[in-house]
Amino acid sequence: MSLPKKRKIESGGGGSGEGGGEGAEQEDGGEREVARPRRAWCRQERDQQYYECYSDISVHEEMLADRIRTEAYRLGIMRNCAALRGKTVLDVGAGTGILSIFCVQAGARRVYAVEASAIWQQAREVVRLNGLEDRVHVLPGQVETVELPEQVDAIVSEWMGYGLLHESMLSSVLHARAKWLKEGGLLLPASAELFLAPVSDPTLEQRLGFWAHVKQLYDVDMSCLEAFATRCLMGPSEIVLQDLCGEDVLARPQRVAHLDLARAGLEQELQAGVAGRFRFSCYGAAAMHGFAFWFQVTFPGGDSGKPLVLSTSPFHPVTHWKQALLYLNEPVQVEQDTDISGEITLLPCRANHRLLRVQLRYKVGDQEEKAKDFAMED
């Protein structure tokens, strides 16, 4: 899943450190004006805000219009029709219900479509329109609180956010796995992998180079603003979503994380941070603007024995997830065989567990090691 609507991240906090807080006095006894701290949102309020976003039809239009995504789910489900035939399925975050219907088309006896946002009402209409009320039961509410009448044989969910872990929906799938999935039950998809590569962003390159061309346009030299533009565009610690292509990748991508959804302890790993080390050797000369990371998820092969992979790689057709970019503070010129190394960690933001935070340590060639922290916009 992903949220196309964006807002600036709210500053975290609301609590006060030692000696601080509203109404504090100066040491000399004089009064000082203290800004009233904004009330920190609790986890329940953050979740409610998140679910409300999915009540908007535009979100579901974007996801269903992504043919790569939706066809991969349909084929991944159909390849497992033998395992689903006559069985029960839990659809976590069912949205408009299309994955639940795919499961019925694959032979599932009953599907419990759990949806926490108000779109569950439209999902129920879709189920009714397709004459599947007796086989798809739409249950409004969070999967953490909804009660099912039975254990299920399989769980299906499209839980992936931008950069894989934005939105933190995987934790809900893992909760459902622990509470409702039968021993040895089927998970669709079954695993996820995270990839990283150094990249050059042609869109950013064009924007930075614009200031050198203003004189040609208007006979006014503004080339001095390129450094300012670099600070404005590359300085912020924001995870940028961009559609890249294979030619923008400067070294062979590396897998930095593998998540087996059946693995015990995965929930604790997500909270502590999904981390991986990397080392690249550049293909050739280019301006490196940062790193891009993307993911792929794998569905079991079923009777065919051949797993199905849904990839968001820049070497594959574009999806609505695109790629997630981590800009350096300024471009770095690399050459053939330039060595790039470091470590990346993905974890939830402190102020809002739904937002993705990335900690990056990196070293390019002979430069000193640097560090930069990033966050995804809300």
Side-chain angles (χ1 to χ4, degrees), residues 30-61:
E31 294 183 355
R32 61 181 173 88
E33 184 178 354
V34 179
R36 182 179 298 273
R38 289 190 302 175
R39 183 177 65 86
W41 285 31
C42 69
R43 188 184 182 97
Q44 183 179 0
E45 289 172 321
R46 294 288 191 189
D47 285 341
Q48 187 59 40
Q49 179 192 35
Y50 166 70
Y51 297 134
E52 286 176 0
C53 290
Y54 279 99
S55 300
D56 190 319
I57 194 62
S58 299
V59 180
H60 302 280
E61 178 185 355

Side-chain angles (χ1 to χ4, degrees), residues 317-354:
V318 64
T319 69
H320 76 283
W321 285 287
K322 303 180 182 179
Q323 290 84 41
L325 270 64
L326 309 173
Y327 287 141
L328 311 183
N329 286 330
E330 59 184 10
V332 176
Q333 188 67 30
V334 298
E335 308 293 337
Q336 183 174 344
D337 299 328
T338 295
D339 184 74
I340 301 172
S341 60
E343 184 175 17
I344 184 172
T345 304
L346 279 67
L347 64 171
C349 279
R350 296 187 185 94
N352 183 352
H353 71 285
R354 291 288 177 186

Side-chain angles (χ1 to χ4, degrees), residues 214-221:
V214 173
K215 185 173 177 59
Q216 298 175 17
L217 296 173
Y218 308 112
D219 196 26
V220 177
D221 191 346

